């Protein structure tokens, strides 16, 4: 019977440290917004977020997605949790789509698919992981007033 290989936690820690160092350097060079770099290198951020990163629109007014009807979800965001078509009237499914867009969508996709008023209405549901939500709330204080 073969034994289960033991994870190399030291290697994982080195990779994580190297990624955090690259993020810090990118922020210093102006290649990444400082608020996102800070969120990605904060203690407790998930490995997924650290290595994937995330984007945030620069203007809440740019969120021009549909306020009603159906959203045609980009193929790379579709899976068992997010179908190819999402009805904005289905608050639970719309919240799942918005969460996906906040974490994995580009700023361009966010602007095209997220509706500002719907986001404000859904925001109290905690749509994003804490590190992502903090960046959105610092940039757009009106989210915390919702």
């Amino acid at each position: 019977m073969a034994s289960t290989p033991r994870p190399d936690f030291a290697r994982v820690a080195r990779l994580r440290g190297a990624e955090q160092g690259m993020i810090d350097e990118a922020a210093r060079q102006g290649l990444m917004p400082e608020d996102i770099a800070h969120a990605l290198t904060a203690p407790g951020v998930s490995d997924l977020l650290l290595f994937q990163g995330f984007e945030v629109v620069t203007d809440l007014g740019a969120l021009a997605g549909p306020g009603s009807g159906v959203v045609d979800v980009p193929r790379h965001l579709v899976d068992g949790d997010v179908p190819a078509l999402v009805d904005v009237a289905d608050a639970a499914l719309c919240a799942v789509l918005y969460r996906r867009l906040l974490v994995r969508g580009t700023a361009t996709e966010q602007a095209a698919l997220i509706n500002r008023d719907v986001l404000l209405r859904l925001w109290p549901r905690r749509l994003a992981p804490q590190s992502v939500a903090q960046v959105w709330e610092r940039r757009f204080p009106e989210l915390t007033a919702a």
Side-chain angles (χ1 to χ4, degrees), residues 1-6:
M1 179 193 284
S3 64
T4 303
R6 190 178 160 119

Side-chain angles (χ1 to χ4, degrees), residues 107-119:
T108 302
E109 291 168 334
Q110 293 166 359
L113 302 174
I114 295 175
N115 178 279
R116 179 189 179 280
D117 295 333
V118 174
L119 179 68

Side-chain angles (χ1 to χ4, degrees), residues 66-71 86-95 118 121-122 125:
S68 63
V70 176
V71 175
V86 172
D87 186 345
V88 175
D90 183 340
L93 192 53
C94 189
V118 174
R121 188 173 64 246
L122 294 175
R125 292 183 180 220

Side-chain angles (χ1 to χ4, degrees), residues 55-96:
E55 293 184 26
V56 178
V57 295
T58 57
D59 178 9
L60 204 58
L63 299 177
S68 63
V70 176
V71 175
D72 187 6
V73 180
R75 175 168 276 177
H76 72 99
L77 298 174
V78 173
D79 64 13
D81 294 328
V82 178
L85 298 172
V86 172
D87 186 345
V88 175
D90 183 340
L93 192 53
C94 189
V96 173

Side-chain angles (χ1 to χ4, degrees), residues 18-67:
E19 185 68 14
Q20 288 174 323
M22 288 189 296
I23 290 169
D24 287 338
E25 184 59 29
R28 275 192 294 280
Q29 292 180 15
L31 301 172
M32 174 182 283
E34 287 186 28
D35 57 352
I36 292 177
H38 179 73
L40 292 174
T41 57
V45 71
S46 73
D47 286 342
L48 176 67
L49 236 116
L50 172 65
F51 287 95
Q52 167 189 288
F54 65 96
E55 293 184 26
V56 178
V57 295
T58 57
D59 178 9
L60 204 58
L63 299 177

